[in-house]
Amino acid sequence: MDGQVFCPRCRARKVYNLKDGRYRCSSCRYTFQDFTGRWINHCSISNRQWFQLTSLFEAGASAAEVSRQLGLTYNQSHKALKIIRLSIMTRDAAFLDLMDGQTEMKRFCRPQGYDGEPVHCMGDHAPVFRLRFKGSGAEVRIVSNLSVKEVMFMPLEKQFFRSMFVCPEPSSKDYLLFSCCSYLRKKAQQNQCNKFKKTLENKSSFWEMCFRLMDNYHRISPESFALYLKEFELRFNFRGIALSREILSCLCSFVPKTTY
């Protein structure tokens, strides 16, 4: 928790302690509890389960594994893991534009047409991300002036693994990453996957971690791709040093108002 108590509605600092453990804001008169307006309040599981879940998340457990170990339904486990990823991603204000409401991500691929056939968007509006290694850490940013469609037509080496495309940028050590509809995934050269995976694993422990987790999670949808990229960034930057504490800090942060 934060050292000071803030009102989750108006963010004023002056609040009164009530006898039942709640607080009341002196400015807007809003009554709230410790976790009101914070990510940790978005799932109906106990604080003890959150602590257990944080450890399982750190170990890379899937929703099915969390469900078995904590006695939760699969939907509860899936939602709780998504809340953790949302709390991590929304620390970067630039990623808020990818959200559609408080807990949902925007869908960039078009739905099926009237005849039931999918309309292949070719990434016309889907976002592109840049991965940059800085010192011993990594940084994932949105490339605002590029779309997936534009990158697809660039003369870059494009490699594919599961739902992720990676393009090493020429004359730099950065990488462009994106995910899009099943049409693009089906068009990917499947025979390049093993070569691509092995080559990148030899370059950085980031890729080794990334592929291991993607294998464990099995399926990452295009609309959730940003959530996982920011998760990988946090894991790599806090590997071996207080990762659980950093995750709990994200969970106890306020839900950004811009996502409402």
Side-chain angles (χ1 to χ4, degrees):
M1 288 296 296
D2 300 334
Q4 292 179 298
V5 179
F6 293 83
C7 173
R9 175 176 289 176
C10 70
R11 302 298 169 88
R13 295 188 182 186
K14 190 175 181 181
V15 298
Y16 300 109
N17 291 323
L18 303 180
K19 290 182 179 180
D20 58 0
R22 296 182 298 166
Y23 307 96
R24 178 169 293 155
C25 177
S26 61
S27 298
C28 67
R29 309 303 294 171
Y30 182 57
T31 301
F32 60 96
Q33 298 176 345
D34 281 329
F35 297 121
T36 301
R38 300 174 189 266
W39 285 111
I40 201 170
N41 198 44
H42 269 269
C43 220
S44 56
I45 63 177
S46 67
N47 290 345
R48 181 181 179 183
Q49 287 173 317
W50 272 121
F51 276 106
Q52 294 172 310
L53 182 61
T54 300
S55 297
L56 290 171
F57 180 83
E58 183 177 6
S62 64
E65 291 172 315
V66 170
S67 179
R68 285 193 299 269
Q69 295 202 38
L70 298 189
L72 302 173
T73 66
Y74 179 84
N75 286 341
Q76 282 180 311
S77 300
H78 185 271
K79 181 179 179 181
L81 290 174
K82 184 178 180 181
I83 292 300
I84 291 178
R85 293 186 175 104
L86 282 167
S87 72
I88 293 170
M89 187 195 76
T90 52
R91 295 202 307 177
D92 189 333
F95 280 70
L96 297 178
D97 289 339
L98 302 181
M99 298 191 67
D100 186 17
Q102 199 174 54
T103 59
E104 296 301 322
M105 302 294 291
K106 288 180 181 176
R107 297 180 66 91
F108 293 95
C109 294
R110 299 172 188 170
Q112 290 183 339
Y114 292 110
D115 56 358
E117 291 296 318
V119 180
H120 304 312
C121 66
M122 289 297 291
D124 203 11
H125 303 288
V128 177
F129 306 92
R130 175 175 282 112
L131 171 66
R132 175 170 295 170
F133 293 105
K134 302 177 67 176
S136 61
E139 180 183 68
V140 176
R141 292 288 179 262
I142 299 174
V143 185
S144 57
N145 61 336
L146 275 181
S147 69
V148 169
K149 185 175 183 179
E150 290 174 303
V151 177
M152 287 299 292
F153 287 98
M154 287 181 176
L156 301 175
E157 180 186 4
K158 301 173 186 68
Q159 302 286 2
F160 173 77
F161 179 74
R162 292 198 179 274
S163 59
M164 178 176 68
F165 287 84
V166 177
C167 307
E169 283 197 288
S171 67
S172 80
K173 296 182 180 180
D174 299 344
Y175 296 87
L176 296 178
L177 302 95
F178 60 89
S179 180
C180 198
C181 61
S182 58
Y183 179 74
L184 284 184
R185 297 198 294 272
K186 288 176 183 177
K187 289 293 183 181
Q189 295 293 326
Q190 296 296 330
N191 60 354
Q192 292 179 338
C193 293
N194 291 335
K195 178 182 177 182
F196 158 53
K197 184 175 179 180
K198 183 177 180 181
T199 301
L200 289 180
E201 279 180 342
N202 290 339
K203 287 187 177 182
S204 169
S205 57
F206 175 88
W207 296 112
E208 183 181 0
M209 173 204 69
C210 178
F211 291 127
R212 174 176 55 82
L213 290 170
M214 290 182 76
D215 277 333
N216 200 35
Y217 296 154
H218 301 303
R219 181 181 180 275
I220 297 177
S221 63
E223 59 267 21
S224 299
F225 188 54
L227 292 174
Y228 289 90
L229 284 182
K230 296 304 281 188
E231 174 194 340
F232 298 157
E233 176 193 79
L234 185 81
R235 286 180 179 275
F236 188 71
N237 292 340
F238 286 89
R239 57 196 184 278
I241 49 171
L243 178 58
S244 291
R245 187 175 64 187
E246 196 65 22
I247 295 169
L248 285 171
S249 175
C250 293
L251 277 171
C252 291
S253 62
F254 285 111
V255 179
K257 283 191 174 183
T258 50
T259 65
Y260 281 71

